[in-house]
Amino acid sequence: MNIVVLLKAVPVVGTERLDSNFMTDRTVQLEANGNDEYLLEKALKLTEAHGGEVVTLTVGPAGAMEPIRKALAMGTARAVQVTDDALRGSDMRATLDVLAAALKKMEPWDLVFAGADTSDGQGGVLGAALAVRLNLPYLSYASEIEPTDSGGVRIHRFNSTGYDILEAPTPAVVMGTQLLGAPRYPSLRGIMQARAKQVETCTLADLGLAPETVGADAATTKTLDSAKPPERAGATFVREAPDEAVAKVVEFLSSRRLI
Amino acid sequence: MAGQIWAIGEIADGQPTKLTLELATLARTLAERSGTEARTVLVGAGASGAAAAAAAYGPGVLAVDADTTGLPVSAVVAPRVAALVAERQPAFLLVGASNDGKDIAGMLLGLTDLPLLANGAGVAWADTAPNVEMSTFGGKLVTHSTFAGTRGMVIVRLASVAAEQASAPGSVEQVSVTVADELPAVKVTGSVEESGAAAPIEEARIIVGAGRGVGSPDGLKIIEELATALGGAVGATRAVVDSGWVSYGQQIGQTGKIVTPALYIACGISGAIQHKVGVQTANTIIAINRDADAPIAEFADLFVVGDLFEIVPKLSAAIRARKSGSA
Ligand SMILES: Cc1cc2nc3c(=O)[nH]c(=O)nc-3n(C[C@H](O)[C@H](O)[C@H](O)COP(=O)(O)OP(=O)(O)OC[C@H]3O[C@@H](n4cnc5c(N)ncnc54)[C@H](O)[C@@H]3O)c2cc1C
Ligand SMILES: Nc1ncnc2c1ncn2[C@@H]1O[C@H](COP(=O)(O)O)[C@@H](O)[C@H]1O
């Protein structure tokens, strides 16, 4: 089973900022999008149990190399990075086109794994969009992923009362959640082995895409302004002993008509 | 006249969901501002049945009945909405930020040429297109975005607007849609109910949040008692969900749910940015934490410094006593 994991390189959570054009500044230090690491872990477990290899695909700038290397140290076989100056400021549609073109070029594979959403964009849509674009089955919100005897894929799709069981033939696109399990840490051995592994970088030209179809100038959406959110008034501290503290909380709740 | 504004609805237990009624209200207001018309689109099993309830919130409902047996909802809804969009050319679509809604929006991104703005926390009308407010980077920034052209699709979060009925109920049009190409087959082969499904947090007015500080499933019991005393629901951090004491459906935060209760009581929760993003817009936030330096101090209104095992049971008792009139 060969799996492509879509791994976005995002600004380290907490350090994000916008540039003067209100675009996410990607020159800061980048890390793997946390939600993609759950899929990466599951992909590694699946190939360890059933054979095959895991390859990551990242569309992102030079700084993406660090999280890509970390994934190699965790156990991926190789990596593909699409990087091109023209991509700066791309909207979701452009990212979709680029990911779709790269996945076509990387064929054959059995499964593509996408994260539930990204810490810098909070879209949660690219997995579904890619599946439709590639005309493949789409299985989402997975809390479990396993192969079927007939060479297909079965997932548990988390819902508010439990889960549904979904099945489809492969190739297919699967979007998964944190319920797949926490990612491993790279081992020392993994870090050593990663040095010999290959990262294939490609440009838009390599994918047959015209630079004027992506990037800020081609963007179909734009950010107009940004501001700090209105500050909350700040916390009032209650440091009294429990009985007195509780009396204060009750008084506070009743003053706000919450009880 | 400009193209219509559509709210793409969802049906649960034969009725439009609360989020659907909010989207219908929003589509109606935006259409009034922009001088166009609004429609609520319901697709799936029971669409016609749910249409009347939705029609109270907007000038018109397009109901597309379709069998969803054994299929993921999004795989049925998205191609039908795409076919309707191709036929009627609406200008803007509002889609809900639920799991199914995001799947549908993603599929529509692939099926249509509509641009997409995700993660909308508020939508206003500006000249020729919606102006979409977003809470960006875990709430560090509030940004406003729009479309370059005059068509697009916005994913809208729950509670971005309050659902309000229209002055007169709208019409219901039953539409039959032929889909040339269904999406590649995904079969739903089973469904498992997990016991102990807790009260849903999305629509709760009061939520009591449990963090790692509760320590154990036993610690969780005192949180549940406080929630019961207040008539609220129990939410949790990822740390607690990962421990398996609370189901993922109760997780608040970046990878969990985004909630806007009137009151949030965070017990033994440090207030990590991924948790904060899920609850920072709560009206009132009370933290109970023994570490006065915990980051939750930055967004709490009242911070009780102390051991939750001492404070929470006493608080539950005081609230119960007050509610039964003996205080
Ligand atoms: C990609 C990604 C996504 C994430 N998504 C989410 C998400 O959706 N939701 C989420 O919540 N987290 C999420 N996290 C995790 C998040 O970063 C934090 O690790 C988590 O929120 C911490 O949970 P906590 O506050 O319960 O635990 P801790 O940070 O360990 O805090 C426990 C707190 O309890 C206090 N305490 C301990 N004992 C007591 C006591 N007896 N009485 C009073 N106070 C006590 C301590 O002082 C401390 O402040 C995510 C992380 C990543 C990387
Ligand atoms: N630039 C990118 N490179 C690689 N994968 C991506 C990229 N953007 C998004 N993805 C994948 O698509 C998922 C959903 O992204 P989004 O819809 O942008 O929230 C992410 O969790 C990733 O798995």
Side-chain angles (χ1 to χ4, degrees):
Chain A
M1 185 172 3
N2 292 321
I3 305 174
V4 180
V5 176
L6 304 179
L7 186 74
K8 187 174 186 188
V10 296
V12 171
V13 170
T15 69
E16 306 99 331
R17 58 180 191 217
L18 295 177
D19 65 17
S20 53
N21 296 315
F22 304 113
M23 299 191 299
T24 302
D25 183 350
R26 299 192 183 281
T27 62
V28 299
Q29 197 190 340
L30 304 180
E31 64 182 8
N33 178 43
N35 279 339
D36 298 348
E37 290 196 311
Y38 303 121
L39 279 300
L40 178 58
E41 175 62 33
K42 188 66 194 181
L44 292 171
K45 285 219 179 79
L46 282 168
T47 51
E48 281 156 11
H50 304 283
E53 59 175 32
V54 181
V55 182
T56 57
L57 168 60
T58 303
V59 177
M65 199 50 90
E66 203 171 310
I68 291 172
R69 289 255 161 239
K70 182 181 168 201
L72 289 170
M74 286 165 76
T76 58
R78 43 196 183 87
V80 175
Q81 180 189 16
V82 184
T83 188
D84 199 308
D85 286 343
L87 284 167
R88 231 174 71 83
S90 288
D91 63 6
M92 287 217 193
R93 174 160 301 286
T95 308
L96 168 62
D97 290 344
V98 176
L99 284 169
L103 284 169
K104 276 270 163 218
K105 188 164 180 253
M106 291 166 74
E107 279 175 342
W109 30 258
D110 301 299
L111 292 170
V112 172
F113 282 4
D117 71 9
T118 45
S119 57
D120 60 345
Q122 287 174 60
V125 294
L126 277 176
L130 272 171
V132 165
R133 209 26 110 62
L134 300 170
N135 200 29
L136 294 179
Y138 174 64
L139 306 92
S140 61
Y141 295 97
S143 56
E144 179 58 277
I145 306 171
E146 59 191 13
T148 64
D149 294 339
S150 56
V153 60
R154 179 187 301 119
I155 73 149
H156 292 175
R157 185 181 195 263
F158 161 82
N159 64 32
S160 54
T161 53
Y163 58 88
D164 291 327
I165 302 166
L166 271 56
E167 279 185 35
T170 56
V173 179
V174 179
M175 180 257 254
T177 66
Q178 71 179 47
L179 294 175
L180 293 169
R184 67 192 62 186
Y185 292 99
S187 66
L188 205 56
R189 194 162 151 257
I191 295 169
M192 302 298 287
Q193 284 173 340
R195 292 189 186 147
K197 291 179 182 172
Q198 181 206 350
V199 181
E200 183 194 339
T201 47
C202 44
T203 60
L204 290 169
D206 296 332
L207 296 177
L209 294 171
E212 59 274 13
T213 61
V214 301
D217 290 343
T220 54
T221 57
K222 57 179 183 243
T223 303
L224 303 170
D225 59 53
S226 104
K228 288 227 159 91
E231 298 245 347
R232 294 189 80 98
T236 305
F237 283 84
V238 177
R239 298 174 187 272
E240 284 80 355
D243 285 317
E244 225 176 303
V246 164
K248 287 211 159 170
V249 175
V250 170
E251 195 183 307
F252 175 82
L253 287 173
S254 105
S255 74
R256 295 205 173 193
R257 299 180 187 282
L258 288 162
I259 49 170
Chain B
M1 189 174 62
Q4 293 183 335
I5 300 177
W6 287 3
I8 309 302
E10 285 177 58
I11 306 162
D13 301 324
Q15 291 301 316
T17 61
K18 180 168 177 251
L19 180 53
T20 300
L21 303 181
E22 292 175 2
L23 295 183
T25 307
L26 185 56
R28 186 185 84 222
T29 354
L30 293 173
E32 280 163 6
R33 297 273 149 74
S34 61
T36 176
E37 279 181 54
R39 291 289 180 270
T40 304
V41 183
L42 291 175
V43 181
S48 296
Y57 293 81
V61 174
L62 305 179
V64 183
D65 288 306
D67 190 7
T68 51
T69 317
L71 295 168
V73 170
S74 57
V76 175
V77 175
R80 282 163 182 76
V81 173
L84 271 180
V85 167
E87 184 191 314
R88 304 196 180 196
Q89 299 285 319
F92 295 103
L93 266 53
L94 308 175
V95 189
S98 60
N99 289 359
D100 281 339
K102 284 190 275 187
D103 279 354
I104 290 166
M107 288 173 169
L108 289 173
L109 182 68
L111 289 169
T112 71
D113 57 1
L114 294 175
L116 175 68
L117 284 169
N119 196 29
V123 187
W125 186 261
D127 297 338
T128 56
N131 179 297
V132 181
E133 180 172 308
M134 299 176 200
S135 171
T136 304
F137 303 150
K140 267 209 305 200
L141 295 175
V142 176
T143 58
H144 291 94
S145 298
T146 192
F147 298 100
T150 52
R151 298 188 72 200
M153 177 164 53
V154 187
I155 299 181
V156 184
R157 285 191 199 167
L158 185 70
S160 297
V161 296
E164 251 173 61
Q165 297 204 348
S167 48
S171 58
V172 175
E173 181 186 347
Q174 278 177 8
V175 190
S176 71
V177 176
T178 346
V179 173
D181 295 299
E182 294 287 353
L183 297 181
V186 175
K187 275 192 234 140
V188 181
T189 59
S191 192
V192 176
E193 300 249 333
E194 284 179 322
S195 59
I201 55 172
E202 292 96 321
E203 296 172 17
R205 200 177 85 88
I206 296 178
I207 300 175
V208 184
R212 204 195 305 268
V214 305
S216 69
D218 276 348
L220 191 70
K221 284 203 188 106
I222 64 172
I223 305 299
E224 287 166 348
E225 278 168 32
L226 178 57
T228 306
L230 287 161
V234 174
T237 64
R238 191 183 72 169
V240 170
V241 172
D242 281 347
S243 306
W245 311 332
V246 175
S247 84
Y248 182 38
Q250 312 299 111
Q251 180 171 316
I252 295 171
Q254 188 205 317
T255 5
K257 301 216 164 107
I258 294 172
V259 293
T260 11
L263 171 63
Y264 182 58
I265 306 187
C267 306
I269 293 177
S270 62
I273 188 158
Q274 294 95 345
H275 185 71
K276 178 184 174 191
V277 59
V279 72
Q280 61 193 339
T281 53
N283 239 309
T284 296
I285 298 178
I286 300 181
I288 303 175
N289 197 309
R290 62 182 179 198
D291 174 10
D293 292 328
I296 196 161
E298 286 161 28
F299 60 100
D301 302 297
L302 196 73
F303 193 120
V304 185
V305 185
D307 186 341
L308 71 91
F309 293 98
E310 292 178 34
I311 292 159
V312 173
K314 284 182 195 278
L315 183 56
S316 305
I319 288 162
R320 277 194 300 265
R322 202 185 151 90
K323 286 201 170 167
S324 65
S326 59

